[in-house]
Amino acid sequence: MQRNLILLGAPGAGKGTQAQRLAARFGIPQISTGDMLRAARREGTPLGKKAESFMNAGQLVPDEVVVGLVEERLGKDDAKLGFILDGFPRTIPQAQALDTVLKKLGRDPLRVIDVQVPEATLLERLGGRLSCPKCGATYHVRLNPPKQAGICDACGGALVTRADDQPEAISQRLREYHDKTAPLVDYYRKAGLERAVDGVGDLEVVLGRIIEALASGA
Ligand code: ADP
Ligand code: ADP
Ligand code: ZN
């Protein structure tokens, strides 16, 4: 059975944190468009250059840029038994493009988990997030600190605060989420694929809720 999963949720909801744990548990890849775009930006590829100004401003990059990335990634062998999309789709046209790609690849239907977190908690989480540019792991200065300050537990990389985790970019990202991404909840609910999960609580408790929601059918 394939596990074709999408984690939906606002910036700071814990998508990356949970996707990493689910990927390890199910043995399927985590596909984070944010991580892919940051890698492209770091390497200075044409795609990275195109995406950079949008990302720094907290705006979504144009659909055609990310759709191409995801289509290529989903075609790789390690995604045959399933995948966890984290941060994609983020617009209705992206969701429609994904439906087309999955049909073309002959994949099973999606399962969509909407991780729900109130705005005050999102702000608290984003305000203290630490990210590992090397492996994509995230920590929080207070809520989920690394064992050694400033160092990634998973890979030993030096942790950074993302440029778009500054207050101005955070409010822009939350606006983008409400305007363009939140409508996806309805899109997938109408298709009968969506399950809501309470994203507030201990990391492991939230992970348990997601696994339970997946086990009980979409
Ligand atoms: P997203 O990928 O949805 O933007 P992240 O997974 O990067 O969110 O999490 C945002 C921040 O919140 C990180 O600093 C992370 O360590 C922290 N975090 C994630 N889940 C929880 C949780 N259940 N409780 C407390 N902090 C959390
Ligand atoms: P977060 O985990 O905080 O929600 P991400 O790491 O997923 O943030 O994304 C960071 C930035 O990368 C976004 O603000 C946006 O500029 C860009 N981005 C990532 N995924 C997408 C996507 N699917 N569509 C458009 N832009 C994206
Ligand atoms: Zn790391």
mmCIF file of all heavy atoms in Angstrom, residues 132 134-137 139 152-157 159, ligand 3:
data_model
loop_
_atom_site.group_PDB
_atom_site.id
_atom_site.type_symbol
_atom_site.label_atom_id
_atom_site.label_comp_id
_atom_site.label_asym_id
_atom_site.label_seq_id
_atom_site.Cartn_x
_atom_site.Cartn_y
_atom_site.Cartn_z
ATOM 1 N N CYS A 132 18.234 23.818 10.736
ATOM 2 C CA CYS A 132 19.507 23.274 10.286
ATOM 3 C C CYS A 132 19.550 23.332 8.762
ATOM 4 O O CYS A 132 18.794 22.617 8.109
ATOM 5 C CB CYS A 132 19.675 21.835 10.748
ATOM 6 S SG CYS A 132 21.207 21.118 10.134
ATOM 7 N N LYS A 134 21.685 22.188 6.861
ATOM 8 C CA LYS A 134 22.295 20.992 6.290
ATOM 9 C C LYS A 134 21.272 19.868 6.092
ATOM 10 O O LYS A 134 21.223 19.256 5.037
ATOM 11 C CB LYS A 134 23.403 20.507 7.243
ATOM 12 C CG LYS A 134 24.728 20.221 6.538
ATOM 13 C CD LYS A 134 25.841 20.058 7.539
ATOM 14 C CE LYS A 134 26.374 18.654 7.534
ATOM 15 N NZ LYS A 134 27.393 18.449 8.583
ATOM 16 N N CYS A 135 20.450 19.587 7.123
ATOM 17 C CA CYS A 135 19.545 18.431 7.013
ATOM 18 C C CYS A 135 18.071 18.812 7.111
ATOM 19 O O CYS A 135 17.211 17.940 6.967
ATOM 20 C CB CYS A 135 19.892 17.382 8.066
ATOM 21 S SG CYS A 135 19.303 17.765 9.719
ATOM 22 N N GLY A 136 17.766 20.088 7.360
ATOM 23 C CA GLY A 136 16.363 20.502 7.375
ATOM 24 C C GLY A 136 15.664 20.330 8.720
ATOM 25 O O GLY A 136 14.500 20.698 8.858
ATOM 26 N N ALA A 137 16.352 19.769 9.724
ATOM 27 C CA ALA A 137 15.721 19.610 11.038
ATOM 28 C C ALA A 137 15.433 20.989 11.645
ATOM 29 O O ALA A 137 16.143 21.957 11.364
ATOM 30 C CB ALA A 137 16.637 18.813 11.967
ATOM 31 N N TYR A 139 14.338 23.157 15.351
ATOM 32 C CA TYR A 139 14.310 23.162 16.817
ATOM 33 C C TYR A 139 13.662 24.459 17.249
ATOM 34 O O TYR A 139 13.325 25.307 16.428
ATOM 35 C CB TYR A 139 15.749 23.081 17.369
ATOM 36 C CG TYR A 139 16.474 21.859 16.874
ATOM 37 C CD1 TYR A 139 17.148 21.881 15.651
ATOM 38 C CD2 TYR A 139 16.470 20.679 17.607
ATOM 39 C CE1 TYR A 139 17.788 20.747 15.174
ATOM 40 C CE2 TYR A 139 17.110 19.547 17.139
ATOM 41 C CZ TYR A 139 17.772 19.586 15.925
ATOM 42 O OH TYR A 139 18.390 18.465 15.461
ATOM 43 N N CYS A 152 22.907 21.037 15.554
ATOM 44 C CA CYS A 152 21.852 20.086 15.179
ATOM 45 C C CYS A 152 22.125 18.711 15.789
ATOM 46 O O CYS A 152 23.194 18.137 15.580
ATOM 47 C CB CYS A 152 21.783 19.986 13.657
ATOM 48 S SG CYS A 152 20.570 18.800 13.070
ATOM 49 N N ASP A 153 21.125 18.174 16.518
ATOM 50 C CA ASP A 153 21.260 16.823 17.101
ATOM 51 C C ASP A 153 21.480 15.781 16.006
ATOM 52 O O ASP A 153 22.216 14.816 16.198
ATOM 53 C CB ASP A 153 19.968 16.395 17.825
ATOM 54 C CG ASP A 153 19.662 17.237 19.051
ATOM 55 O OD1 ASP A 153 20.517 18.058 19.446
ATOM 56 O OD2 ASP A 153 18.555 17.079 19.608
ATOM 57 N N ALA A 154 20.776 15.965 14.891
ATOM 58 C CA ALA A 154 20.748 14.918 13.864
ATOM 59 C C ALA A 154 22.045 14.852 13.060
ATOM 60 O O ALA A 154 22.502 13.763 12.722
ATOM 61 C CB ALA A 154 19.567 15.149 12.923
ATOM 62 N N CYS A 155 22.643 16.006 12.738
ATOM 63 C CA CYS A 155 23.772 15.971 11.806
ATOM 64 C C CYS A 155 24.975 16.809 12.243
ATOM 65 O O CYS A 155 25.977 16.853 11.533
ATOM 66 C CB CYS A 155 23.314 16.399 10.403
ATOM 67 S SG CYS A 155 23.154 18.172 10.212
ATOM 68 N N GLY A 156 24.863 17.496 13.373
ATOM 69 C CA GLY A 156 25.995 18.289 13.848
ATOM 70 C C GLY A 156 26.146 19.647 13.167
ATOM 71 O O GLY A 156 27.093 20.390 13.444
ATOM 72 N N GLY A 157 25.224 19.970 12.259
ATOM 73 C CA GLY A 157 25.296 21.261 11.546
ATOM 74 C C GLY A 157 25.053 22.445 12.484
ATOM 75 O O GLY A 157 24.496 22.282 13.567
ATOM 76 N N LEU A 159 23.085 25.592 13.639
ATOM 77 C CA LEU A 159 21.700 26.046 13.489
ATOM 78 C C LEU A 159 21.636 27.544 13.217
ATOM 79 O O LEU A 159 22.463 28.304 13.708
ATOM 80 C CB LEU A 159 20.913 25.710 14.761
ATOM 81 C CG LEU A 159 20.865 24.216 15.107
ATOM 82 C CD1 LEU A 159 20.119 24.004 16.425
ATOM 83 C CD2 LEU A 159 20.206 23.425 13.978
HETATM 84 ZN ZN ZN B 3 21.017 18.910 10.812
#
